[in-house]
Structures are given as C-alpha cells and as structure tokens.
Amino acid sequence: RKIYYKILTLTTKMSYKSIGDTLGQTHATVIHALNNFDWDYNHIPAFKEAYDRVYHLYAKKDPHEGHGR
C-alpha cells in the first residue's frame, strides 16, 4: 500500500482522505505510510526495487489507453 500511496501523491491531486478511501483506510494511515516511505526506500533494498519497478511500469503506461486510440 505504501507504494500505491506514494505514486498517487506524486501523480494525482487526490487528498490523503481520497487515497485512503480507495483502500478502506483513513487519511492518518496514508500519512503514516508516507512518513515512513523515505526510510524504507533508503534502507530496504527489496522495497526500493519494488517501488522503482512499479513506478516505472506506472509511468510507462499509455495515458490514452482505454480511450479508443
């Protein structure tokens, strides 16, 4: 979930409440996860690899996909 929260905060204008609502969580859960993101990214190689892989796949997505193009 932490990766999901981070990507949404970087790529959308969704509020923490809205992000939490998508997974049945509160805004406080989102804030807590984001507050711990940098430490995990810098100290847990597997987390860094997972985030980098997911973000790369997300960023590579065709923005016109699903719109009849």
Side-chain angles (χ1 to χ4, degrees):
R1 290 186 297 224
K2 193 177 296 186
I3 291 170
Y4 173 77
Y5 298 154
K6 183 67 169 182
I7 290 172
L8 285 182
T9 60
L10 292 174
T11 62
T12 73
K13 293 182 180 189
M14 291 175 70
S15 67
Y16 294 150
K17 180 186 180 323
S18 295
I19 292 170
D21 287 348
T22 67
L23 297 178
Q25 302 294 319
T26 68
H27 74 283
T29 301
V30 175
I31 292 168
H32 179 74
L34 292 171
N35 284 342
N36 291 301
F37 181 90
D38 287 342
W39 192 94
D40 291 351
Y41 187 84
N42 291 315
H43 294 91
I44 304 173
F47 180 82
K48 180 183 187 311
E49 290 171 19
Y51 173 77
D52 290 345
R53 183 175 58 251
V54 171
Y55 186 82
H56 176 73
L57 289 170
Y58 181 83
K60 200 172 158 181
K61 183 178 174 186
D62 181 356
H64 301 291
E65 188 175 284
H67 294 288
R69 282 188 79 166

